[in-house]
Amino acid sequence: MNRLAFRRNVWHLLLIPLCLVWIYPFVWMVSAAFKTPREMLIGGLSLLPDDATLENFRRAWTTAKFSTYTANTITYSIAVVVLVLLVASTAGYALARPGLPGKKVLVGLLIATMFIPHGYTIIPTFLLVNGLGLGNGLLGAALAQAGPALVVPVLLFMGFFSGIPKELEEAARMDGAGYLRTYWKVMLPLAKPVMGTVALMNFIGAWNAFFIPLVFTLGNPDLRTLGVGMYGFYGQDTTDWTGLAAAACISVIPIVVVFLFLQRTFVEGIAGAVKS
Amino acid sequence: MKIRPPLIALTCAVALALSGCNLVGGSADSGDAGKVTVTVALVPDPPGASEFYRQQFDEFEKANPGIAVKVLENPSDQQLNAVELMFQQNNAPDIFRAQDDGMDRMAARGWVAPLDEFVTPEFLKRFPAGSMDPATSGLHRDGKLMSLPLVWGPWSTLRVFLYNEDLLKQSGYDGPPKTWTDLERMATKVTADGKGKYFGYAPTAAKAPAVEMLADTAVPYSVPATGIDFRTGKPATSSPGLVESVELHRRMQAAKVMMPGWESWDGARAFKEFAAGRLAMYATPPWHVAEVRKLAPEIKLGVTGLPVPAAGRGAYLPLSKSFSPLWSMSAKSAHKAESWKVMDFLASESFHNAYYKKFGTLTALDSAWKAEAEKNPDQAAILAVAEETMRRAPNPALASKGGRALTDALAAKPDLKHTDAAVSSIVKNQPFGPAAAQLDRDLQTFLDQTSTELKAKGQEGSAKDLTFAGWDPLKDFRPGG
Amino acid sequence: MTTTVERPRAKVPAAQRTPRRPGRFRKHLWSYLFLVPMVLLFGGFTVWPLMASWWYSFFDWDGVGTPSNWVGFANFAEVLRADAFWRAFWHSLVFSLAAIFVELPLALVLAILLNNSWLRFRNLYRLVLFLPVVATTAVIGIVIAILLDPAGGLVNRILLDTGLVDQPVNFLGSTSTALPTLLSIDVWKGFGITLIYWLAALQTVPKELQEAAEIDGAGFWRALRFVTLPVVMPIAIVILLLVFQRSLNTFDLVRAVTEGGPDYATDVVPTYIYRFAFDPSLQAPRYGFASAAGVVFGLLTLVVTLLQAPFLRRRLDGGRR
């Protein structure tokens, strides 16, 4: 047993140095948020600021308009995540049904579009959303963000659902559960790891999104998100690096919270489910 | 979906409550009754400009109670795209920032309103004498005033040479290099003395823009800028002056004189290295001076003219127009009179003085800052260099329609410019001559092809439009003379 | 291609063996209903813009109004003839090779390690490995530039002090080291994403199986090969596609760190297209050309993907047996 414990702890000898190196640039970014521009750009490499200042955070708060944009960003990101989860999980479930006519074509099309760049102009999307009358709100932006992001989640859900043992579903059906019920009560709860992953990735994507929230709020700048606000630090030739670093630190916090929260979905395998 | 529904629901509720009915959106805010809202689409340049513009417009609103100014800010590199989409959405701003070619792009779509009906003689008097001549102002198209400037005329084409007096002194030099030969010799010595702690010279950024800056002292500005010699209308990339400028850098690179790593520098890196005391000399646009000062207030910074070829100066830096376009009014604005009031404010002495004070940029109305700038050693030096090393130069884009068509076509072909071949030659240590000759052949083919195409479409545009036979690059150019 | 993620046929009859009351039609009806939202969104926001961009690629168009200047295949001819495009394509391909052969397996190994409930602090490790993903790319660009600076950067200082090199390495400035350096940074930045996907995939492995493998001392590699991989294979293929696609579209990082330089040694297709079609210094954007370059790029990568398809299919079938 001792040998086993030793063998297990040996891994830390590998992981700790790896993580220290890994996180160094990130820590540097955090420390830059407390430095003066002079120290960040031409000072040494020290991680500890000589003369720590909170001025960057004050500037970040006003320049990136955190106070007005945070609520928009939360709304937008949650809308995107909910849209993607619902649409992708239903589609993935349907596509995992055996023998569904037309499935091959659809899956082939999905995969093929992964590789063909989605147009280099936003104009078709813009026309569509405008035509739906959603051109100046976050819902239009959320649709435009969620739409192209669907392919991978659909494939992930499909892969996951088709890997679930058939016995499970049949048992549910024996109990008299219909299609909808089986999906909602049996299958979806099992798919937590995939849901967690999809939610996390799309949350990050939406949280940092820049182009779509910009284009779909042109007439209504009060609806913009932080991803757009961050560009307040870039002038034409110069950049307010310490302000940007501070803003980056603030805006990373919600993502870390979401990460820690969703991380639980990665620890529960489907073991228990199979037994019951 | 057992991912803590209560928590998500709560977050949703809070977010929705905070952002109102943001999801569906609605009409843009209607503003106060009886007030006219003027929308200004601008960019947050330089960093910190958002707050500055808001303060300025607040003051404007105080002085003009009937007008509310709504600022719409776009990221610098998305401004044109965003404004274009707004026009297509029938939601155009009344005033927008569109610089240089960007203004032409907007004007070509018929979206820019001519300003002549609003301009008064008093208004024109604010600008330096003669600078608003429709033929050379840079702001007029087909004789109509299409834009108002923000920065000082020479600012966009002026190039200065920065040197660190202390570092030069440590190698026994009392002043900056006067010629390219001096530059090479001094840079070599300084780099050697620096022993890896500091370096003599760097070509400013990854694309080695210093090649073009130095070449501007040897050959007409059009040669490095477009590949064409505007005295003859012929490709001239293989002019000895330009080739020697590349070769100078190639030699310094091969001898490891230049600061290592410049090959991946962005445009804002050189002033950081200089301010850190790790780079002794470089050539640059004038805005670097203020950036160096911000980072290193006490540094012994020298600002002077670019070194010239050993055989003597062959050309001056070009003053090819009085101003660069920046503020334009939308042709679709429903409140042109009120919009003009805002534009009039943006071209007022008080605004220009405030801008100068806040950012240290020399602005278009030199009366707003001249007295103060002459007391500031850095800015005084910039003014002196401009006076000394710039001369009026012909500008085909302003001279004729055909000239505009051809310069536009050339601008869309960056691969015909010397830049990439020059960088390649410097980092790979290959002679530039053969590459330059090849570029000239390609350029000639392209010119012929473009002229033929333009002719087929019944438009003007031939080598004649790029030719200014009487021009002496060592003298001020007078159109027609 | 279309069959890569398909279920083996042998299973189909098993499902058909239970023709319940409503019958097959009803069952498929539900499935089609479930597909409706996805098809609508996919059609509107993926297929339609894609068709539009194919259409635009036949025009000389600057992005405003209706395209009218039909140029046929001229844009395509220009792309295919451009050496710079092929150079960029090769670099993009190298990026994807690095992602597939370095990032993908490494992330799997770490995911397996970090999936063990006996490993203490595993949540912390996961967070640390994930953080680069959410670090703002532009800021990372400047941090990297400072760390790798040949004149006094931390990395070079360490290399010199330990005697590993006697001349500072010009990581980003030399045409020979810039691409490998950028590849490493890209792997660092994207590693967390792949790790998370692998972790999700590993949750499909029933615990009993894992424990059984551990108890009978099957050994790591045997357990991986005969227990883990077969179970995660359907998702693994999606992850592979995902990593492949993401690496082909590397853009922000290249822009932030080298802007494609030096001498285009790190130019990739997305930066190539950006430079030729959208650079703000251009008089007018060339959307037609950009679309054509995008279409060519897409078709080329599709071919590369199709070349992998038979292999993937074999792995899938092998996994299922």
Side-chain angles (χ1 to χ4, degrees):
Chain A
M1 205 56 207
N2 264 343
R3 265 188 52 202
L4 181 66
F6 174 74
R7 242 181 40 212
R8 287 177 168 179
N9 282 326
V10 153
W11 285 109
H12 295 290
L13 288 180
L14 179 84
L15 283 168
I16 291 171
L18 173 77
C19 284
L20 287 179
V21 173
W22 206 258
I23 204 171
Y24 184 86
F26 187 86
V27 174
W28 207 98
M29 175 179 108
V30 175
S31 93
F34 294 93
K35 291 179 177 173
T36 59
R38 178 187 159 81
E39 194 190 349
M40 177 194 180
L41 295 171
I42 69 175
L45 296 161
S46 162
L47 282 182
L48 284 178
D50 287 342
D51 188 11
T53 169
L54 290 176
E55 164 62 20
N56 298 321
F57 286 93
R58 190 203 62 75
R59 221 169 48 245
W61 193 264
T62 49
T63 304
K65 302 194 173 63
F66 272 93
S67 50
T68 37
Y69 287 176
T70 304
N72 298 337
T73 316
I74 295 174
T75 315
Y76 176 68
S77 307
I78 292 178
V80 170
V81 167
V82 170
L83 266 172
V84 170
L85 279 182
L86 270 180
V87 175
S89 65
T90 50
Y93 182 64
L95 287 174
R97 311 285 66 216
L100 183 74
K103 165 182 155 175
K104 268 192 197 176
V105 179
L106 198 55
V107 173
L109 201 66
L110 284 173
I111 296 178
T113 56
M114 274 178 85
F115 295 100
I116 299 190
H118 295 176
Y120 283 92
T121 165
I122 191 128
I123 287 174
T125 309
F126 189 73
L127 292 175
L128 180 73
V129 173
N130 247 357
L132 294 171
L134 299 169
N136 261 328
L138 288 180
L139 187 61
L143 280 172
Q145 172 86 16
L150 273 177
V151 176
V152 171
V154 168
L155 294 177
L156 276 178
F157 275 109
M158 185 181 79
F160 181 86
F161 285 131
S162 56
I164 288 182
K166 277 280 90 69
E167 299 77 18
L168 210 68
E169 221 183 318
E170 275 165 31
R173 199 151 300 164
M174 294 297 186
D175 294 346
Y179 191 97
L180 201 59
R181 240 179 103 81
T182 314
Y183 157 76
W184 186 256
K185 290 278 179 193
V186 183
M187 301 300 267
L188 207 53
L190 286 180
K192 262 196 227 167
V194 175
M195 287 174 64
T197 315
V198 169
L200 178 67
M201 295 306 169
N202 282 285
F203 185 84
I204 297 173
W207 191 267
N208 293 329
F210 156 66
F211 200 56
I212 287 177
L214 170 74
V215 166
F216 289 98
T217 54
L218 284 175
N220 218 345
D222 291 342
L223 289 186
R224 287 183 171 175
T225 61
L226 288 175
V228 183
M230 296 289 251
Y231 274 75
F233 298 101
Y234 297 90
Q236 227 149 248
D237 298 314
T238 52
T239 305
D240 175 2
W241 288 111
T242 50
L244 184 64
C249 290
I250 307 178
S251 99
V252 130
I253 294 170
I255 301 179
V256 170
V257 171
V258 168
F259 178 86
L260 291 175
F261 178 67
L262 289 175
Q263 175 152 252
R264 298 151 174 242
T265 61
F266 307 141
V267 295
E268 303 152 23
I270 56 170
V274 175
K275 274 183 200 156
S276 70
Chain B
M1 265 212 270
K2 286 271 155 56
I3 309 185
R4 292 246 179 125
L7 191 84
I8 289 188
L10 182 73
T11 330
C12 284
V14 171
L16 283 173
L18 285 173
S19 58
C21 294
N22 286 355
L23 271 176
V24 185
S27 57
D29 52 336
S30 46
D32 299 330
K35 269 198 182 183
V36 171
T37 302
V38 172
T39 311
V40 183
L42 47 79
V43 304
D45 176 72
S50 327
E51 279 171 299
F52 170 77
Y53 278 112
R54 194 59 258 171
Q55 283 162 4
Q56 289 293 315
F57 287 135
D58 285 347
E59 278 175 31
F60 170 84
E61 285 175 347
K62 240 182 265 161
N64 297 271
I67 304 176
V69 179
K70 180 177 161 194
V71 175
L72 186 84
E73 220 171 74
N74 292 310
S76 300
D77 59 353
Q78 294 300 332
Q79 164 79 346
L80 288 180
N81 283 331
V83 173
E84 279 180 350
L85 285 175
M86 293 182 78
F87 270 100
Q88 296 183 74
Q89 211 182 14
N90 288 322
N91 186 22
D94 298 291
I95 298 167
F96 52 88
R97 174 173 168 143
Q99 285 171 269
D100 301 308
D101 291 348
M103 196 280 282
D104 285 301
R105 183 166 146 187
M106 294 297 166
R109 312 196 193 299
W111 290 340
V112 177
L115 303 169
D116 302 272
E117 55 175 304
F118 305 106
V119 169
T120 59
E122 283 76 21
F123 178 83
L124 290 178
K125 258 187 223 145
R126 296 178 195 169
F127 295 88
S131 64
M132 291 301 260
D133 178 348
T136 52
S137 76
L139 308 172
H140 290 77
R141 297 290 180 270
D142 296 328
K144 295 195 191 98
L145 181 64
M146 304 299 266
S147 186
L148 295 181
L150 175 63
V151 299
W152 185 46
W155 193 252
S156 57
T157 47
L158 176 62
R159 300 292 179 263
V160 296
F161 192 80
L162 305 191
Y163 61 100
N164 183 324
E165 288 175 14
D166 286 337
L167 293 185
L168 290 194
K169 217 164 257 164
Q170 279 176 38
S171 292
Y173 298 115
D174 287 334
K178 294 268 180 270
T179 65
W180 296 1
T181 324
D182 292 348
L183 171 64
E184 192 173 358
R185 199 185 62 238
M186 290 169 65
T188 310
K189 177 99 183 355
V190 174
T191 296
D193 293 345
K195 297 196 175 60
K197 295 258 183 272
Y198 61 87
F199 298 84
Y201 176 78
T204 316
K207 292 282 180 186
V211 166
E212 177 164 349
M213 299 185 209
L214 290 188
D216 277 344
T217 67
V219 291
Y221 84 96
S222 64
V223 174
T226 65
I228 315 279
D229 187 335
F230 285 170
R231 291 173 302 184
T232 60
K234 292 210 161 52
T237 311
S238 41
S239 303
L242 179 53
V243 174
E244 176 50 23
S245 176
V246 177
E247 293 292 322
L248 169 74
H249 287 89
R250 177 161 84 97
R251 284 196 302 275
M252 288 199 276
Q253 174 80 348
K256 297 198 193 305
V257 166
M258 301 210 276
M259 184 161 179
W262 65 267
E263 302 93 335
S264 59
W265 284 4
D266 64 18
R269 181 71 176 273
F271 69 75
K272 291 168 199 156
E273 300 297 343
F274 188 91
R278 306 200 299 160
L279 176 62
M281 303 180 278
Y282 74 106
T284 172
W287 61 267
H288 278 223
V289 173
E291 299 298 326
V292 169
R293 268 296 168 231
K294 255 190 256 167
L295 291 175
E298 73 299 334
I299 198 168
K300 283 265 181 41
L301 162 68
V303 181
T304 184
L306 299 168
V308 301
R313 181 184 285 279
Y316 282 93
L317 293 171
L319 268 173
S320 51
K321 57 190 178 206
S322 304
F323 296 112
S324 295
L326 197 121
W327 301 111
S328 285
M329 189 193 292
S330 159
K332 297 192 176 168
S333 170
H335 308 288
K336 290 215 172 85
E338 290 81 1
S339 300
W340 171 254
K341 279 199 171 146
V342 178
M343 292 190 80
D344 180 73
F345 171 74
L346 290 170
S348 68
E349 196 158 316
S350 72
F351 177 83
H352 277 236
N353 184 260
Y355 195 93
Y356 162 76
K357 280 220 177 85
K358 170 89 183 169
F359 302 113
T361 306
L362 305 183
T363 60
L365 301 181
D366 58 10
S367 52
W369 46 264
K370 197 119 196 193
E372 283 166 76
E374 271 157 5
K375 283 185 220 127
N376 175 320
D378 292 345
Q379 291 165 1
I382 293 175
L383 291 176
V385 173
E387 186 69 39
E388 217 169 278
T389 66
M390 301 187 88
R391 297 291 182 269
R392 302 211 165 275
N395 185 340
L398 297 182
S400 66
K401 272 213 170 102
R404 159 83 48 198
L406 278 180
T407 46
D408 284 355
L410 283 169
K413 278 280 180 190
D415 41 340
L416 290 177
K417 220 183 140 173
H418 73 277
T419 318
D420 289 345
V423 171
S424 187
S425 165
I426 296 168
V427 301
K428 291 190 179 140
N429 197 14
Q430 287 160 352
F432 180 62
Q438 182 59 44
L439 278 176
D440 280 342
R441 283 192 291 276
D442 295 346
L443 205 49
Q444 188 63 57
T445 316
F446 179 73
L447 274 184
D448 296 342
Q449 211 180 329
T450 311
S451 312
T452 319
E453 276 166 26
L454 287 170
K455 199 181 241 170
K457 280 191 243 166
Q459 291 166 2
E460 296 167 49
S462 68
K464 201 166 79 319
D465 296 306
L466 300 179
T467 312
F468 301 83
W471 174 40
D472 176 356
L474 289 172
K475 291 194 179 126
D476 262 330
F477 175 71
R478 304 249 168 266
Chain C
M1 173 93 229
T2 52
T3 53
T4 46
V5 200
E6 203 204 347
R7 293 174 51 76
R9 269 158 214 287
K11 291 253 171 176
V12 175
Q16 284 172 342
R17 243 185 288 123
T18 51
R20 309 261 320 161
R21 253 174 310 123
R24 264 189 70 193
F25 175 73
R26 176 79 184 278
K27 191 170 75 187
H28 286 321
L29 182 75
W30 268 109
S31 291
Y32 288 128
L33 266 178
F34 262 43
L35 283 172
V36 169
M38 187 274 276
V39 169
L40 285 181
L41 277 181
F42 178 66
F45 292 101
T46 304
V47 178
W48 143 249
L50 204 123
M51 306 288 251
S53 85
W54 279 58
W55 176 244
Y56 298 146
S57 64
F58 293 101
F59 291 87
D60 180 12
W61 185 50
D62 64 1
V64 170
T66 321
S68 57
N69 188 8
W70 176 272
V71 294
F73 285 91
N75 285 328
F76 291 94
E78 190 182 342
V79 174
L80 292 174
R81 270 202 313 265
D83 291 342
F85 174 81
W86 292 106
R87 180 178 53 198
F89 178 68
W90 168 243
H91 293 154
S92 283
L93 218 54
V94 172
F95 265 89
S96 67
L97 291 177
I100 291 174
F101 291 104
V102 179
E103 183 181 321
L104 198 67
L106 275 184
L108 175 60
V109 171
L110 268 165
I112 292 172
L113 182 60
L114 296 180
N115 196 37
N116 284 310
S117 49
W118 47 258
L119 188 79
R120 273 200 280 174
F121 313 121
R122 61 179 180 150
N123 283 357
L124 186 65
Y125 287 135
R126 288 175 182 180
L127 179 63
V128 167
L129 291 172
F130 186 72
L131 277 178
V133 173
V134 294
T136 307
T137 311
V139 182
I140 290 307
I142 194 162
V143 174
I144 294 290
I146 291 173
L147 289 180
L148 296 183
D149 193 339
L154 180 71
V155 175
N156 268 308
R157 217 181 277 175
I158 292 173
L159 288 177
L160 287 169
D161 287 352
T162 52
L164 283 171
V165 297
D166 49 6
Q167 281 278 321
V169 183
N170 195 354
F171 286 103
L172 295 168
S174 147
T175 45
S176 53
T177 50
L179 189 62
T181 308
L182 205 58
L183 288 173
S184 320
I185 304 169
D186 187 52
V187 168
W188 172 79
K189 185 92 171 71
F191 192 84
I193 300 178
T194 317
L195 180 78
I196 293 302
Y197 279 114
W198 277 128
L199 276 170
L202 288 177
Q203 305 318 315
T204 57
V205 181
K207 274 215 177 68
E208 299 89 332
L209 277 181
Q210 276 177 315
E211 278 159 12
E214 196 164 296
I215 286 163
D216 76 7
F220 174 76
W221 294 112
R222 273 172 56 97
L224 177 69
R225 173 134 182 248
F226 295 107
V227 179
T228 310
L229 280 185
V231 179
V232 302
M233 199 46 84
I235 296 190
I237 288 167
V238 182
I239 300 177
L240 173 72
L241 288 173
L242 181 87
V243 167
F244 183 48
Q245 186 235 18
R246 205 191 63 228
S247 57
L248 285 174
N249 289 311
T250 312
F251 175 69
D252 291 357
L253 192 73
V254 179
R255 286 255 296 159
V257 179
T258 60
E259 296 190 64
D263 196 24
Y264 299 109
T266 55
D267 197 26
V268 289
V269 176
T271 50
Y272 169 86
I273 292 176
Y274 182 86
R275 199 170 64 250
F276 273 88
F278 303 114
D279 199 310
S281 64
L282 283 179
Q283 163 76 23
R286 299 181 63 201
Y287 283 103
F289 178 73
S291 300
V295 170
V296 172
F297 183 44
L299 290 178
L300 287 170
T301 51
L302 203 57
V303 169
V304 176
T305 317
L306 283 173
L307 291 177
Q308 303 174 8
F311 162 77
L312 290 178
R313 197 148 128 206
R314 214 169 46 239
R315 291 303 299 266
L316 180 62
D317 290 350
R320 280 312 174 102
R321 219 169 280 129

